[in-house]
Amino acid sequence: MQPTNDVVLDRVRTDPQFKELVERRSSLGWILSVIMLVIYFGFILMIAYDKDLLARSLSGGATTIGIPIGLGVILSAFALTAIYVWRANSVFDDLTHRIVERAKQ
Amino acid sequence: MIHTTFRHARTAFLAAALPAVLTTTAALADTAQVEGKADVNMSAIVMFLIFVLATLGITKWAASRTKSAADFYAAGGGITGFQNGLAIAGDYMSAASFLGISGLVFANGYDGLIYSVGFLVGWPIILFLIAERLRNLGKFTFADVAAFRLDPTPIRLLSALGTLVVVSLYLIAQMVGAGQLIQLLFGLEYWHAVVIVGALMIIYVAFGGMVATTWVQIIKACLLLGGATFMAIMVLAHFGFSPEAMFQKAVELHPKTVADGKAGANPSAIMGPGTFVTDPISAISLGLALMFGTAGLPHILMRFFTVADAKAARKSVLYATGFIGYFYILTFVIGFGAITFLLQNPEFFKPGVTAAANGSYLPADMLGGNNMSAVHLSKAVGGDLFYGFISAVAFATILAVVSGLTLSGASAVSHDLYASVIAKGKASEETEVRISKLSALVIGVIAVCLGILFEKINVAFMVGLAFAVAASCNFPVLLMSTLWKGTTTLGAFVGGLLGLITATVMLVLSPGVWEAALGHPKGSALFQISNPALFSMSIAFGGIWLVSLLDRSARAAKDRAGYEAQFIRSETGIGATGAVAH
């Protein structure tokens, strides 16, 4: 017979691996969020405080330092997203699957 | 029982769609006769009609598949991560960001990039903090999640209010933009354009629900990305794929960099940050609104219920971030392409304006304003046929965005206000969907009327206000109810409402609205700051925290006790609404 929903929830709650899953996944989420915030607000504050730095020529030509930095912020957003999805969709989802299956038995 | 209703719906669909197509054609033909050949863009009209017929065909097919409330609101949860990523991109990349950002780059250079970066960085935050919890806890609207363990009546009232405020501001801004743009591109009357947009979006949403809306958004995203890619490649190919060569040419031609007739006298004027970001407080406040506003847009949040599980929800964000980031890089190239291809060509500037000594015109003197630079560039790199294509894509872009907004507003009325608050969960699925379709019609008609009414008003601030309200009401309520155990009904309600009120009042009393839009004297605005997010978000989060902490009611104890079960479900997906097999 299938255990009731309350029983399943209670088993998950007491599963030590559930605690591990939550800690690992949420710490990754928060770390990546903080990195994104630092990159973006670093960029914004650099513009607010030191416009000339970004307007300096990269290597003597018309391209300025601001161009790779701006593109870098865009690429970093994608890269951070990719890191999270890669970890969550493999390691964390496997762990979740094991915890849920165990609780439903 | 439900099936018969929907069979009727199909007949009704034909009855509504046919006149809409006929009116479109008649209106287009009408203008063709009145305005003469000069202003009417025939290739654009033909391509747009093909798009309209194709999407109406899809709507008819979608209507036949829309059988339950889950089909109507969430496409039965049967959209894949990749499709949803494209649809999110189609929902988010508005005509304003395509034409507006490339126009900003054309006129100011680097500043345009700062804006697009702000619109992108909200996506990782949505993924890390919201997307999977939203998918695991909710069913059709983000209010499902906020009201999961809190008292549904006040929380759904607040969420519906937040949704309707954001949706109406965004919708009016899109409608006015659409009317003006289509007037320019197709040579149509302003009100014809607004009525056509309104009629088509009502048909997509009321008959095809989320399935049709999703496919309209996917097709539009492909067309827009394809068209923008072609333009960027044509521009770069001209410079042997050397961005440096393109930047050099731009510095040589742009009026902002030329001083005393000497080209390149101040290259940093367009190659570095200009006047867009001034003091740090304004900069941070705007940054917060752009970043967290994205995470509180109801029509975007709603898209996460169309996929099967948390895994697909995460993939959606990855694809969406990739497409949107790529698109913003393209608009940057397109803006510089417009500088290098158009600035010295009198064909694209108002008759009678004179060029500077080096042969360049001022961006502001462009035909239709500098927001038209991407459209003019399409003509310069691809001829009349491609110009027609890009014009049709701009029209399609508007339709996809307004459809998503209308569906989201209609869902807030039927699912949150009607089914939960008024009928207390006792409404039948059939009635709920019928109310939703009716709401789509009402919202559409109101949007058309307001769009026509606001024709002459500067509505640029409305998108900013929509983002500020989303960041200060929807986002804090959603985040705090899912992540903080202590959040109570009273706390979420008071904090969210304070955020909404603060954002609105501060924005109305800011220079952009009080002085620029309402015409009061310069310097008379009470708050000399362009975006209120820094203050209104702090008030919302602080309010939720403080009121929840002091809340000693019986309901508060129940709210706190409900957190654990919610938390386990939000982390594991146990009991989450799954995909419906077709």
Side-chain angles (χ1 to χ4, degrees):
Chain A
M1 208 186 80
Q2 287 268 316
T4 63
N5 207 29
D6 286 346
V7 175
V8 173
L9 288 182
D10 202 53
R11 284 184 191 162
V12 171
R13 189 173 56 84
T14 49
D15 191 327
Q17 279 207 307
F18 176 66
K19 205 169 162 240
E20 184 200 329
L21 167 76
V22 169
E23 271 168 13
R24 284 175 65 189
R25 189 166 55 199
S26 67
S27 63
L28 180 70
W30 283 109
I31 290 169
L32 294 176
S33 299
V34 169
I35 296 177
M36 190 71 250
L37 285 168
V38 168
I39 292 177
Y40 177 55
F41 285 100
F43 178 61
I44 290 289
L45 289 176
M46 207 193 288
I47 295 165
Y49 282 109
D50 194 357
K51 285 190 173 49
D52 294 341
L53 178 71
L54 288 168
R56 210 169 289 160
S57 171
L58 186 65
S59 54
T63 312
T64 51
I65 295 175
I67 302 285
I69 289 184
L71 291 180
V73 180
I74 291 180
L75 293 178
S76 74
F78 182 72
L80 294 175
T81 311
I83 291 172
Y84 184 83
V85 173
W86 167 61
R87 293 287 291 169
N89 280 12
S90 58
V91 182
F92 299 147
D93 270 2
D94 289 347
L95 198 57
T96 312
H97 186 70
R98 281 205 295 277
I99 295 166
V100 173
E101 285 308 303
R102 231 183 353 248
K104 279 186 177 167
Q105 269 166 19
Chain B
M1 192 177 56
I2 290 179
H3 288 232
T4 26
T5 323
F6 283 95
R7 212 166 308 138
H8 287 311
R10 219 179 301 169
T11 333
F13 167 73
L14 283 177
L18 278 174
V21 176
L22 292 178
T23 336
T24 318
T25 327
L28 295 168
D30 236 24
T31 353
Q33 286 161 0
V34 178
E35 315 253 330
K37 59 183 162 39
D39 291 323
V40 177
N41 183 346
M42 267 328 279
S43 56
I45 291 174
V46 170
M47 275 184 263
F48 178 67
L49 282 178
I50 294 172
F51 174 82
V52 168
L53 287 174
T55 48
L56 286 177
I58 286 173
T59 308
K60 190 167 180 292
W61 164 80
S64 72
R65 286 169 51 116
T66 302
K67 295 190 171 63
S68 63
D71 293 333
F72 182 79
Y73 292 121
I79 303 291
T80 69
F82 179 75
Q83 290 167 343
N84 196 35
L86 262 179
I88 289 174
D91 214 350
Y92 196 64
M93 302 180 300
S94 60
S97 55
F98 175 49
L99 303 176
I101 292 182
S102 52
L104 206 57
V105 175
F106 173 62
N108 301 305
Y110 194 80
D111 274 356
L113 188 66
I114 303 173
Y115 223 105
S116 39
V117 163
F119 278 118
L120 185 71
V121 290
W123 287 100
I125 302 296
I126 291 185
L127 172 68
F128 305 148
L129 302 180
I130 290 181
E132 57 194 85
R133 295 186 179 96
L134 198 68
R135 182 64 197 85
N136 284 341
L137 292 173
K139 216 167 136 197
F140 303 143
T141 63
F142 85 89
D144 291 339
V145 180
F148 191 86
R149 70 185 157 106
L150 305 179
D151 184 2
T153 306
I155 297 301
R156 284 193 191 264
L157 264 176
L158 176 69
S159 307
L161 182 65
T163 301
L164 290 173
V165 169
V166 172
V167 163
S168 32
L169 290 167
Y170 220 117
L171 204 51
I172 294 169
Q174 293 288 334
M175 279 289 182
V176 174
Q180 290 166 347
L181 178 69
I182 291 161
Q183 196 176 18
L184 273 168
L185 293 182
F186 291 75
L188 273 178
E189 291 271 350
Y190 176 86
W191 73 271
H192 282 173
V194 173
V195 170
I196 291 172
V197 169
L200 285 169
M201 84 185 181
I202 292 171
I203 292 170
Y204 294 148
V205 173
F207 294 100
M210 185 52 107
V211 180
T213 305
T214 302
W215 284 100
V216 169
Q217 287 166 347
I218 290 178
I219 295 174
K220 162 268 173 103
C222 294
L223 292 174
L224 183 57
L225 287 169
T229 303
F230 176 76
M231 266 203 271
I233 288 178
M234 292 301 279
V235 168
L236 286 171
H238 183 79
F239 294 101
F241 292 97
S242 157
E244 169 65 26
M246 177 180 78
F247 292 142
Q248 263 173 16
K249 184 79 181 169
V251 167
E252 194 184 303
L253 297 181
H254 204 286
K256 279 201 163 189
T257 62
V258 181
D260 308 326
K262 272 202 308 199
N266 178 20
S268 65
I270 60 163
M271 296 306 299
T275 52
F276 179 60
V277 173
T278 46
D279 63 302
I281 298 289
S282 291
I284 291 177
S285 203
L286 178 73
L288 284 172
L290 293 181
M291 193 171 203
F292 297 109
T294 305
L297 294 176
H299 63 298
I300 295 289
L301 296 173
M302 195 181 179
R303 292 228 50 91
F304 289 103
F305 304 117
T306 66
V307 294
D309 51 22
K311 201 189 267 286
R314 291 186 207 108
K315 276 190 198 157
S316 319
V317 186
L318 178 65
Y319 289 121
T321 312
F323 290 130
I324 296 169
Y326 171 66
F327 173 72
Y328 284 143
I329 295 174
L330 294 179
T331 55
F332 190 62
V333 176
I334 289 169
F336 271 92
I339 296 174
T340 54
F341 278 70
L342 308 179
L343 266 184
Q344 299 207 319
N345 190 339
E347 187 194 335
F348 301 109
F349 290 86
K350 287 174 188 147
V353 296
T354 45
N358 70 343
S360 293
Y361 293 88
L362 287 171
D365 287 335
M366 176 160 265
L367 277 176
N370 60 31
N371 279 350
M372 294 302 284
S373 59
V375 178
H376 290 316
L377 179 67
S378 69
K379 197 173 198 169
V381 300
D384 278 335
L385 201 63
F386 188 64
Y387 170 66
F389 174 76
I390 287 294
S391 305
V393 167
F395 206 153
T397 286
I398 294 164
L399 276 177
V401 175
V402 294
S403 302
L405 287 165
T406 305
L407 180 59
S408 169
S411 309
V413 173
S414 61
H415 185 63
D416 298 329
L417 288 183
Y418 173 73
S420 294
V421 177
I422 296 172
K424 302 279 177 207
K426 292 195 189 76
S428 73
E429 207 174 290
E430 207 183 335
T431 323
E432 192 185 319
V433 172
R434 203 181 311 129
I435 299 265
S436 199
K437 293 177 171 203
L438 196 65
S439 314
L441 178 70
V442 174
I443 292 173
V445 171
I446 293 176
V448 167
C449 295
L450 292 178
I452 293 172
L453 196 68
F454 282 8
E455 179 186 354
K456 303 280 179 235
I457 297 174
N458 178 2
V459 294
F461 68 90
M462 283 191 173
V463 173
L465 181 55
F467 268 77
V469 170
S472 318
C473 174
N474 305 351
F475 174 70
V477 170
L478 190 58
L479 196 75
M480 292 295 268
S481 75
T482 50
L483 289 182
W484 186 44
K485 184 178 188 240
T487 308
T488 69
T489 302
L490 191 65
F493 186 80
V494 172
L497 196 62
L498 282 176
L500 194 154
I501 294 171
T502 317
T504 312
V505 169
M506 281 186 76
L507 216 104
V508 169
L509 298 178
S510 75
V513 179
W514 191 253
E515 296 164 17
L518 297 177
H520 290 94
K522 213 167 160 48
S524 66
L526 207 56
F527 295 102
Q528 286 295 327
I529 184 158
S530 55
N531 200 294
L534 179 61
F535 303 95
S536 52
M537 277 182 78
S538 310
I539 287 174
F541 277 105
I544 295 174
W545 175 76
L546 191 67
V547 175
S548 296
L549 210 64
L550 299 174
D551 190 356
R552 293 276 172 267
S553 60
R555 179 69 228 184
K558 204 175 158 195
D559 293 337
R560 294 187 194 104
Y563 181 74
E564 192 153 53
Q566 173 191 306
F567 176 71
I568 293 172
R569 173 162 162 179
S570 75
E571 294 294 324
T572 58
I574 292 174
T577 327
V580 181
H582 278 285

